Amino acid sequence: MLLKEYRICMPLTVDEYKIGQLYMISKHSHEQSDRGEGVEVVQNEPFEDPHHGNGQFTEKRVYLNSKLPSWARAVVPKIFYVTEKAWNYYPYTITEYTCSFLPKFSIHIETKYEDNKGSNDRIFDNEAKDLEREVCFIDIACDEIPERYYKESEDPKHFKSEKTGRGQLREGWRDSHQPIMCSYKLVTVKFEVWGLQTRVEQFVHKVVRDILLIGHRQAFAWVDEWYDMTMDEVREFERATQEATNKKIGVFPPAISISSVPLLPSSVRSAPSSAPSTPLSTDAPEFLSVPKDRPRKKSAPETLTLPDPEKKATLNLPGMHSSDKPCQPKSE
């Protein structure tokens, strides 16, 4: 298990970002989706929790095979998706990622929003007071993003909002900018497979950090698009965008429901109170098993059988008959 706490400051208020994050998530998901890959929305509906109160429950499938590194693509099926379940009790949210194909893999994210510049060192005392973790500040203006995702129009150093007058952020902006808020994210990554755990958990945290940086940059750069929206308007935008995204990636589920009546019993969708435990299956997938000792392959057969002059000239190799087709090399 690898635990990190991310702190991302924004030149917004917590109340403003309530609309901004919903708009950003929907638009970002639609932009990043393509035929066969992207984010499919399975459910999106109101939800009530006895402890956290009224909120919104969403379930999504994130198809991302082509976005995996080459060493990961070699061991996962071509049709591969991660299930995302989120409980939004803004300004507190819980998000879980699991994959049935990888039963020992999970990501658990708890998020809290406050109107400060990331100075609350005790915000997760109830959730992780005694857990050792690294605190990582993410600067939406000055931190580098992967070049393929860079857009000058979404660069806070260049962008200036017409509606709010905010933008063109410079180094050190967090020390003096008003308003300012911080998104605190406690991220737990688990991949409990011997020999792969450290590599996978570190890779996942790198991906999570990049996504957080890009998403928060976009939320601010798109502020003029969502700043005047009401909650009803952003929910309607969310519904329409989700349906368009589902069609874009090639799935046609029932219409997205954003209704006042939950579609699933609360026992099925009840929010977790802590990080999820490893799924019930204890056996790692076969491809992740530690390889057993096996005889070294040889470059040539040990013996050759010469053709019988009395018979049709053939060359018989061990394990191959005249009707056999040559083996095709395995793709990496």
Side-chain angles (χ1 to χ4, degrees):
M1 181 182 81
L2 185 57
L3 177 66
K4 292 188 178 184
E5 179 184 327
Y6 297 93
R7 301 181 187 180
I8 313 103
C9 290
M10 298 281 283
L12 303 167
T13 67
V14 170
D15 287 341
E16 290 170 342
Y17 191 60
K18 184 175 185 179
I19 300 291
Q21 61 138 356
L22 296 175
Y23 183 92
M24 175 271 292
I25 290 171
S26 294
K27 183 175 178 178
H28 177 86
S29 296
H30 185 72
E31 286 191 348
Q32 295 299 312
S33 299
D34 202 352
R35 187 73 183 176
E37 291 208 348
V39 182
E40 171 198 357
V41 181
V42 180
Q43 294 177 20
N44 185 354
E45 61 190 48
F47 180 73
E48 184 175 354
D49 181 84
H51 179 66
H52 300 295
N54 293 327
Q56 192 83 4
F57 169 78
T58 59
E59 180 177 347
K60 302 176 183 178
R61 292 177 180 176
V62 185
Y63 299 86
L64 40 57
N65 188 274
S66 70
K67 295 178 174 60
L68 297 174
S70 57
W71 59 265
R73 288 199 300 271
V75 295
V76 300
K78 291 184 178 180
I79 302 175
F80 173 73
Y81 66 85
V82 172
T83 298
E84 174 194 292
K85 293 184 179 180
W87 293 262
N88 188 342
Y89 309 106
Y90 197 87
Y92 173 65
T93 66
I94 303 170
T95 310
E96 292 180 350
Y97 297 89
T98 56
C99 177
S100 59
F101 179 71
L102 301 172
K104 295 194 175 185
F105 167 78
S106 67
I107 305 174
H108 182 84
I109 304 175
E110 294 187 56
T111 305
K112 295 184 179 182
Y113 304 95
E114 288 189 348
D115 285 313
N116 57 50
K117 57 183 180 181
S119 53
N120 188 351
D121 294 329
R122 305 185 63 181
I123 192 167
F124 290 114
D125 273 5
N126 291 334
E127 294 79 12
K129 182 177 181 179
D130 299 321
L131 297 179
E132 182 178 349
R133 62 187 182 274
E134 178 184 355
V135 176
C136 306
F137 282 86
I138 296 178
D139 190 328
I140 65 170
C142 300
D143 287 358
E144 293 185 358
I145 67 170
E147 185 176 353
R148 65 185 181 277
Y149 295 122
Y150 179 82
K151 295 180 181 179
E152 185 173 344
S153 62
E154 296 174 358
D155 188 337
K157 294 193 298 293
H158 301 293
F159 167 78
K160 186 169 184 177
S161 167
E162 294 181 0
K163 293 185 178 180
T164 67
R166 306 169 201 168
Q168 296 181 333
L169 305 178
R170 296 293 179 257
E171 187 172 354
W173 67 272
R174 292 178 297 177
D175 296 328
S176 57
H177 195 283
Q178 290 296 329
I180 190 168
M181 60 153 286
C182 184
S183 171
Y184 295 82
K185 292 183 176 286
L186 188 65
V187 181
T188 305
V189 177
K190 290 183 180 180
F191 189 68
E192 297 171 342
V193 176
W194 184 86
L196 292 173
Q197 180 171 2
T198 300
R199 184 178 187 179
V200 171
E201 290 179 351
Q202 289 178 344
F203 169 77
V204 171
H205 267 289
K206 180 181 182 301
V207 172
V208 168
R209 187 191 180 282
D210 286 346
I211 291 174
L212 293 177
L213 175 57
I214 294 167
H216 285 76
R217 283 166 64 103
Q218 290 177 330
F220 175 58
W222 296 339
V223 63
D224 288 345
E225 300 175 28
W226 58 259
Y227 191 73
D228 294 327
M229 280 186 170
T230 64
M231 181 56 69
D232 288 341
E233 289 171 339
V234 79
R235 287 297 184 193
E236 174 56 27
F237 171 83
E238 188 179 43
R239 183 199 63 77
T241 305
Q242 288 167 358
E243 290 185 355
T245 302
N246 284 356
K247 292 179 181 179
K248 188 177 180 182
I249 64 174
V251 293
F252 300 91
I256 300 301
S257 172
I258 305 181
S259 63
S260 58
V261 181
L263 298 179
L264 291 176
S266 59
S267 59
V268 177
R269 299 175 290 106
S270 58
S273 57
S274 60
S277 58
T278 302
L280 293 178
S281 175
T282 57
D283 297 327
E286 183 177 350
F287 74 88
L288 290 177
S289 301
V290 179
K292 298 179 181 179
D293 292 335
R294 50 182 179 267
R296 182 178 179 180
K297 292 184 179 179
K298 299 183 179 179
S299 58
E302 302 234 352
T303 61
L304 288 175
T305 303
L306 296 177
D308 187 338
E310 302 296 327
K311 297 182 180 179
K312 183 178 178 180
T314 59
L315 183 62
N316 295 323
L317 301 181
M320 178 178 286
H321 302 286
S322 59
S323 60
D324 289 341
K325 297 181 180 179
C327 294
Q328 298 296 325
K330 293 183 178 179
S331 58
E332 294 183 359

